[in-house]
Amino acid sequence: MNKLGLILLVAIGLTGCAEKQQTPQKIALQGQWLTEQSGEAMLNPQTSGLKGWRGKLLSVSDGSADISQRKQLHIIEPNTAAVLAESLTFVMSDRVQQSCFAAYLNDAPDLEALAVDPDDDKVFIVVTEDATRSESMSESCFEKYQNSGSTQYPTLLLRLELQENNELLVSHVRPIQFQASLQIGDFPNDGIEALAFGPDDTLYLGMEKDKKVKARIFSLKIDDDFWLSEEFAQVTDLQLNLPKYDSGNHPINGMDYLPRENHPGYLVAAARNDNNIWLIDLAKQKETKVIAVEFYAPTHSKEENCGPWELMDNASLEGVAVVGSTIWMINDPWKRYYPDNIICEVNRVNYEKMAPLLFSMPVDPNWFN
């Protein structure tokens, strides 16, 4: 079976004496360890965003990654999960260096998602999240941007433009504002975690949770004039039909746009702390389809107690990329729980160095029936 193949697992449980009840089908996703040029698994990149780009995949790391992985886009060969030697590193423009946010962006910004401009693949957008550990803004800057409608230090959108030397110029930065009526709350580490471009220059923004501990999806129009301003950009609440749960945390941590003919399209979203993929109808005609999945890591082991694949206790999915008819996914190892995955000793070193895995799943036409 192909390493990225799929198998369907149907779990049948017994209730009462003889009555049988079938649980939802789960799609088993077999992953590949991301490997660097040394052939070893990738060192703690804390992969927080994933998108397709020029036949490859791009990932971005958050502020808790190893220092060698921060402030760059990593290029990944999707068929092998190999990380190319040359990444796209960030450099700050004079405009950004003179902005209120320069100190934070020059340090270790918490980059949580990535989007590629559909009209120009040399242009990217990333979003920041937790800035509580950063240097405070000046008094005048704080006064100017204090009414974010969410966190004290506002969420930032960064525009990146690829240069001829393969550097990424952070050309512009713009803070995001949420209207008070949206009831977002002040959660520095639970903000915008997902970005996806749709048609008509619409950027979709997936939020981990609001005051009611519910995931939210907003939108922005990124037109030619968007980056000319340094004022707050106000998001629009799309009020999509997101799943309703009686308990537990079900945030949005990764997302991408899935086009459909004669239809506004869908958003494919995922959370790091449950094994569900959401298929969200932008036409608001259908309830969100919840696709149950399980994640398996390869062992490449011949040990008696190890099969070729081991079920992961915690995958911590955080990046989603739709490329043609394939959904690619990458995890952001949750440092507190990632060692719980250790079953076969052969994978211990990978889990302890917080190495991520790459998964894929084909788009099933039956999802839209």
Side-chain angles (χ1 to χ4, degrees):
M1 178 181 291
N2 187 288
K3 287 183 179 179
L4 292 175
L6 304 175
I7 55 175
L8 292 178
L9 304 179
V10 182
I12 306 296
L14 297 179
T15 59
C17 294
E19 182 181 67
K20 293 184 178 180
Q21 182 178 0
Q22 182 172 316
T23 62
Q25 287 185 332
K26 293 184 178 181
I27 300 177
L29 304 180
Q30 297 175 335
Q32 294 189 87
W33 295 105
L34 263 69
T35 55
E36 300 186 277
Q37 292 300 298
S38 63
E40 297 181 354
M42 197 175 188
L43 172 63
N44 188 24
Q46 293 295 292
T47 38
S48 294
L50 186 74
K51 287 294 178 287
W53 182 71
R54 298 183 179 180
K56 310 293 185 185
L57 296 169
L58 290 179
S59 72
V60 66
S61 300
D62 70 26
S64 64
D66 185 84
I67 192 171
S68 65
Q69 312 286 16
R70 299 176 192 165
K71 291 192 289 187
Q72 57 193 293
L73 298 185
H74 303 286
I75 307 172
I76 303 167
E77 176 58 57
N79 293 326
T80 62
V83 182
L84 274 61
E86 186 173 12
S87 61
L88 309 178
T89 55
F90 292 17
V91 292
M92 304 295 167
S93 67
D94 291 342
R95 178 190 182 107
V96 172
Q97 293 285 23
Q98 295 167 10
S99 75
C100 286
F101 314 110
Y104 173 48
L105 297 178
N106 279 310
D107 185 22
D110 192 31
L111 307 176
E112 288 291 345
L114 166 69
V116 182
D117 189 323
D119 299 322
D120 185 353
D121 71 357
K122 293 188 296 184
V123 175
F124 311 88
I125 294 179
V126 295
V127 67
T128 68
E129 193 184 36
D130 188 3
T132 56
R133 294 165 293 181
S134 71
E135 181 180 331
S136 299
M137 289 187 287
S138 67
E139 185 175 344
S140 60
C141 286
F142 177 76
E143 183 176 348
K144 181 177 182 179
Y145 295 116
Q146 63 180 325
N147 296 319
S148 70
S150 57
T151 51
Q152 188 175 67
Y153 198 110
T155 297
L156 306 175
L157 286 179
L158 276 61
R159 181 187 183 273
L160 316 175
E161 185 169 354
L162 184 63
Q163 307 298 293
E164 290 185 0
N165 60 0
N166 272 351
E167 288 183 335
L168 285 170
L169 182 68
V170 184
S171 61
H172 298 76
V173 57
R174 192 161 179 195
I176 295 174
Q177 186 178 52
F178 302 88
Q179 296 177 3
S181 60
L182 295 176
Q183 295 291 294
I184 298 303
D186 185 356
F187 303 111
N189 199 36
D190 298 286
I192 298 299
E193 291 258 349
L195 297 176
F197 260 114
D200 303 320
D201 300 320
T202 300
L203 181 67
Y204 297 101
L205 304 92
M207 171 170 280
E208 194 160 2
K209 72 176 184 182
D210 62 8
K211 276 188 176 180
K212 297 181 180 179
V213 199
K214 304 294 185 184
R216 304 280 288 276
I217 296 178
F218 307 96
S219 70
L220 277 171
K221 197 79 167 179
I222 310 294
D223 56 23
D224 293 339
D225 298 329
F226 180 84
W227 298 108
L228 300 181
S229 173
E230 294 181 351
E231 300 300 317
F232 276 120
Q234 287 197 2
V235 301
T236 298
D237 185 4
L238 293 178
Q239 299 182 341
L240 297 172
N241 298 323
L242 300 185
K244 296 178 175 61
Y245 294 92
D246 294 329
S247 62
N249 293 322
H250 304 273
I252 289 176
N253 292 102
M255 186 172 70
D256 205 0
Y257 175 75
L258 174 61
R260 295 291 291 174
E261 190 174 354
N262 300 318
H263 188 277
Y266 290 77
L267 293 175
V268 181
R272 66 184 280 110
N273 58 343
D274 64 19
N275 291 337
N276 290 329
I277 307 297
W278 295 354
L279 193 65
I280 305 163
D281 181 10
L282 287 171
K284 304 182 186 180
Q285 296 174 346
K286 298 179 180 179
E287 295 295 321
T288 290
K289 183 175 182 62
V290 178
I291 304 163
V293 295
E294 290 181 329
F295 298 98
Y296 287 79
T299 65
H300 306 296
S301 173
K302 296 181 180 179
E303 296 179 19
E304 183 178 349
N305 296 326
C306 294
W309 303 93
E310 59 181 1
L311 177 64
M312 297 180 70
D313 177 81
N314 179 276
S316 305
L317 198 69
E318 192 145 323
V320 176
V322 176
V323 181
S325 58
T326 301
I327 300 170
W328 294 93
M329 292 155 281
I330 202 167
N331 62 324
D332 174 11
W334 198 340
K335 292 180 179 178
R336 179 179 175 183
Y337 298 111
Y338 212 48
D340 293 346
N341 288 310
I342 299 171
I343 300 174
C344 295
E345 284 300 311
V346 69
N347 275 339
R348 175 178 291 275
V349 65
N350 293 350
Y351 287 124
E352 290 182 345
K353 71 192 299 187
M354 301 296 150
L357 295 108
L358 182 67
F359 304 89
S360 73
M361 177 171 63
V363 174
D364 185 347
N366 294 318
W367 293 344
F368 309 98
N369 294 338

